[in-house]
């Protein structure tokens, strides 16, 4: 195994980031539930360009973590942001998502509304574009009501 | 003479045994759920077609927050007003916490997730997506409500058909179950809540649920509302399993190579929190 290969280096880097993001097992407050989304500032839209760390395809809220920089912030340093969405079933119906829409390491551009709490790097995902394929995924559950949906 | 004495003694014993037996309380017959007959299954075919995946019309839920508010009593109204203010300020109250079921009737009122409806002899079953714990059993076999309440999140539901409309009466709902008008506004019903529903197809692929909610501890009078569900039939939209508490865990592989769930940290609103030292 040649760990000096760029792909291997990238893999190890991703594993390290995943471990960091989800390693916060202390001080757990398990409050998962269905909730309003006004903790996000929907009047703002930021764009992050970066690599996928992980797509957590779980109920009640799917989340996507991305390691990248914010376009609108000049000189922004790479950081991990976690984007929240609706449930897997709703994403399939409303945004064309699937469990393997992206995998760790994929390059993506994500439009999102950030948390009002500026100390936390989180947001509500509005649109994700996969750079390699150009595929676009959205996350507005009310899109299910559009006419002509199968 | 000796034989006569024996015979008399036996007769006396028999009389005593009968007397003791009749003094004991008579046992109630066991009520059973009879096995469905072929005719029972055939009769289901005469019911309206409610198959498919039913999605809530969330935009109508949104609209009714303003257009059709419940007649809250003074105490509940103040609580709801505070919740609206908090939500507007970006601090939404977590009405549905801990992955408890949204409960009845809030599941019908504010859900953002699909459901399916199954008919079997003597029963209608509603199964919700997203939370594996969303399940309503509506008995249509003619039984009444239990004499001794055993409150649950979805209460005890009995139903009957009036033409193509299923009429459902639900009682014995846990007092903690909220009467919610959105995911950020609702108060516990605090007991004695009763819900009457009329469920019917309003159009080919539109299901209406007319609800009348009696919640004397939080409302000044009963509240009527209609909730709309629309049907999807594409197989790619089939209901999938959803376990709410799974959101509190990440899928990982432990030191022994086993696939395990590892708890993750959440914010007070349920969002996943990125640790400050994340690189």
């Amino acid at each position: 195994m040649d760990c000096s290969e760029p792909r291997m280096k990238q893999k190890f880097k991703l594993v390290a980031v995943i471990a960091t993001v989800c390693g916060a097992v202390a001080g757990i407050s398990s409050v998962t539930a269905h909730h309003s989304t006004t903790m996000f500032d929907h009047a703002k839209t930021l764009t992050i360009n970066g690599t996928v760390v992980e797509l957590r395809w779980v109920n009640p809220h799917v989340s996507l973590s991305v390691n990248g920089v914010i376009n609108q912030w000049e000189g922004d340093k790479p950081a991990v942001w976690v984007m929240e969405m609706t449930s897997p079933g709703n994403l399939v119906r409303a945004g064309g998502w699937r469990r393997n829409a992206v995998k760790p390491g994929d390059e993506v551009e994500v439009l999102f509304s950030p948390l009002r709490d500026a100390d936390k790097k989180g947001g509500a995902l509005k649109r994700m574009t996969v750079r390699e394929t150009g595929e676009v995924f959205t996350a507005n559950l009310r899109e299910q009501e559009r006419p002509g949906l199968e | 003479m000796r034989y006569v004495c024996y015979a008399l003694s036996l007769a006396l014993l028999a009389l005593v045994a009968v007397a003791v037996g009749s003094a004991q309380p008579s046992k109630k017959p066991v009520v059973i759920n009879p096995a469905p007959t072929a005719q029972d299954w055939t009769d289901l075919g005469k019911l309206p077609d409610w198959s498919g995946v039913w999605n809530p019309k969330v935009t109508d839920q949104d609209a009714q927050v303003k257009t059709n508010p419940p007649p809250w009593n003074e105490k509940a109204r103040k609580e709801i007003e505070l919740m609206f203010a908090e939500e507007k300020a970006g601090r939404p109250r977590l009405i549905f916490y801990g992955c408890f079921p949204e409960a009845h009737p809030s599941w019908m009122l504010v859900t953002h997730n699909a459901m399916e409806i199954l008919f079997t002899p003597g029963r209608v079953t509603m199964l919700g997506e997203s939370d594996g714990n969303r399940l309503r059993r509506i008995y249509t076999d003619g039984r009444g409500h239990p004499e001794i309440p055993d409150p649950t999140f979805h209460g005890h539901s009995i139903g009957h058909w009036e033409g193509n409309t299923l009429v459902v009466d639900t009682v014995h709902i846990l007092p903690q179950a909220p009467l919610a008008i959105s995911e950020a506004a609702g108060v516990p019903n605090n007991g004695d809540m009763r819900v009457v529903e009329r469920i019917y197809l309003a159009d080919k692929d539109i299901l209406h649920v007319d609800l009348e909610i009696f919640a004397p501890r939080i409302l000044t009078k009963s509240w009527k509302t209609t909730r709309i569900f629309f049907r999807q039939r594409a197989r790619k939209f089939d209901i999938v399993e959803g376990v709410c508490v799974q959101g509190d865990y990440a899928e990982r592989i432990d030191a022994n190579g086993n696939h395990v769930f590892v708890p993750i940290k959440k914010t007070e609103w349920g969002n996943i929190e990125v640790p400050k030292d994340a690189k």
Side-chain angles (χ1 to χ4, degrees):
Chain A
M1 184 189 294
D2 182 2
C3 294
S4 64
E5 285 178 41
R7 282 178 69 89
M8 288 304 293
K9 274 186 175 174
Q10 192 186 19
K11 252 187 178 176
F12 280 131
K13 201 174 170 186
L14 278 169
V15 169
V17 172
I18 289 174
T20 311
V21 170
C22 294
V25 290
I28 294 150
S29 113
S30 292
V31 289
T32 287
H34 305 272
H35 57 72
S36 162
T37 64
T38 64
M39 70 287 282
F40 302 109
D41 187 348
H42 292 286
K44 283 185 190 167
T45 302
L46 296 177
T47 309
I48 185 170
N49 276 282
T51 53
V52 170
V53 176
E54 185 178 30
L55 176 66
R56 292 183 63 245
W57 190 253
V58 293
N59 280 280
H61 298 282
V62 173
S63 66
L64 175 77
S65 41
V66 177
N67 190 7
V69 294
I70 305 296
N71 284 7
Q72 290 85 351
W73 296 353
E74 203 173 317
D76 186 38
K77 290 179 182 171
V80 176
W81 285 73
V82 178
M83 312 299 168
E84 189 180 282
M85 289 169 265
T86 180
S87 65
N90 282 347
L91 284 180
V92 168
R93 296 183 192 100
W97 285 75
R98 52 184 185 274
R99 179 181 274 273
N100 64 350
V102 284
K103 60 184 184 305
D106 283 353
E107 298 282 334
V108 292
E109 179 184 84
V110 175
L111 270 64
F112 68 99
S113 294
L115 280 167
R116 290 173 196 271
D117 183 347
D119 286 345
K120 294 186 170 75
K121 290 185 169 57
L125 186 143
K126 288 183 170 178
R127 194 179 75 205
M128 177 185 75
T129 306
V130 182
R131 288 200 165 278
E132 191 179 346
T133 62
E135 268 193 293
V136 175
F137 301 90
T138 56
N140 180 1
L141 70 89
R142 288 160 181 83
E143 280 288 301
Q144 293 180 76
E145 296 176 21
R146 69 180 180 270
L149 197 68
E150 299 134 307
Chain B
M1 187 61 198
R2 197 170 58 180
Y3 293 113
V4 172
C5 223
Y6 283 154
L8 281 172
S9 299
L10 281 172
L12 190 64
L13 277 171
L15 277 171
V16 168
V18 168
V20 168
S22 63
Q24 284 182 352
S26 59
K27 257 191 168 179
K28 278 187 180 175
V30 176
V31 180
I32 61 156
N33 296 312
T37 63
Q39 187 62 49
D40 290 333
W41 289 106
T42 303
D43 288 346
L44 293 177
K46 298 169 190 165
L47 295 175
D49 172 23
W50 290 5
S51 64
V53 173
W54 293 101
N55 274 284
K57 192 166 183 184
V58 178
T59 53
D60 186 66
Q61 296 173 2
D62 297 341
Q64 287 202 48
V65 172
K66 287 180 181 168
T67 62
N68 184 23
W72 301 113
N73 66 22
E74 190 62 13
K75 179 177 168 291
R77 187 183 58 76
K78 282 181 182 166
E79 289 183 69
I80 294 291
E81 280 176 3
L82 178 64
M83 288 173 193
F84 282 148
E86 287 288 280
E87 186 181 23
K88 199 174 175 186
R91 297 184 296 268
R93 191 73 62 87
L94 199 58
I95 305 298
F96 305 111
Y97 53 88
C99 277
F100 284 127
E102 286 177 335
H104 192 53
S106 291
W107 172 17
M108 297 291 107
L109 297 172
V110 302
T111 183
H112 287 178
N113 300 102
M115 68 165 174
E116 59 188 345
I117 304 170
L118 312 179
F119 295 160
T120 48
R123 194 167 121 182
V124 173
T125 307
M126 289 181 171
L127 298 165
E129 190 178 60
S130 184
D131 294 348
N133 53 16
R134 287 191 196 185
L135 165 64
R136 292 185 63 197
R137 296 179 178 89
I138 301 166
Y139 295 104
T140 55
D141 55 4
R143 73 180 66 185
H145 292 300
E147 287 174 21
I148 302 169
D150 181 15
T152 56
F153 285 94
H154 298 103
H156 187 269
S157 296
I158 52 177
H160 65 275
W161 289 92
E162 292 181 5
N164 287 331
T165 298
L166 178 65
V167 181
V168 185
D169 186 89
T170 303
V171 294
H172 304 166
I173 299 166
L174 279 170
Q176 295 85 353
L179 179 57
I181 52 174
S182 77
E183 288 186 327
V187 291
N189 74 81
N190 293 332
D192 300 329
M193 182 160 64
R194 179 177 169 219
V195 182
V196 178
E197 294 160 282
R198 297 180 67 83
I199 309 171
Y200 54 94
L201 287 174
D203 203 346
K204 181 170 160 280
D205 292 317
I206 300 290
L207 188 77
H208 277 197
V209 182
D210 294 348
L211 298 108
E212 183 166 15
I213 299 160
F214 304 83
R217 311 219 177 224
I218 52 172
L219 301 180
T220 56
K221 58 180 181 180
S222 70
W223 178 47
K224 288 184 181 178
T225 177
T226 296
R227 299 293 152 149
I228 304 166
F229 293 80
F230 60 95
R231 175 154 50 192
Q232 290 177 305
R233 288 202 183 275
R235 189 166 289 180
K236 63 182 176 182
F237 296 150
D238 277 351
I239 298 271
V240 292
E241 180 185 277
V243 177
C244 180
V245 76
Q246 197 178 347
D248 288 340
Y249 296 83
E251 295 164 9
R252 294 290 177 264
I253 295 175
D254 70 8
N256 295 321
N258 294 319
H259 290 250
V260 293
F261 289 114
V262 177
I264 57 173
K265 194 177 178 186
K266 298 296 196 67
T267 71
E268 62 266 42
W269 297 298
N271 312 97
I272 299 156
E273 187 171 323
V274 180
K276 287 197 172 102
D277 61 349
K279 299 283 190 297

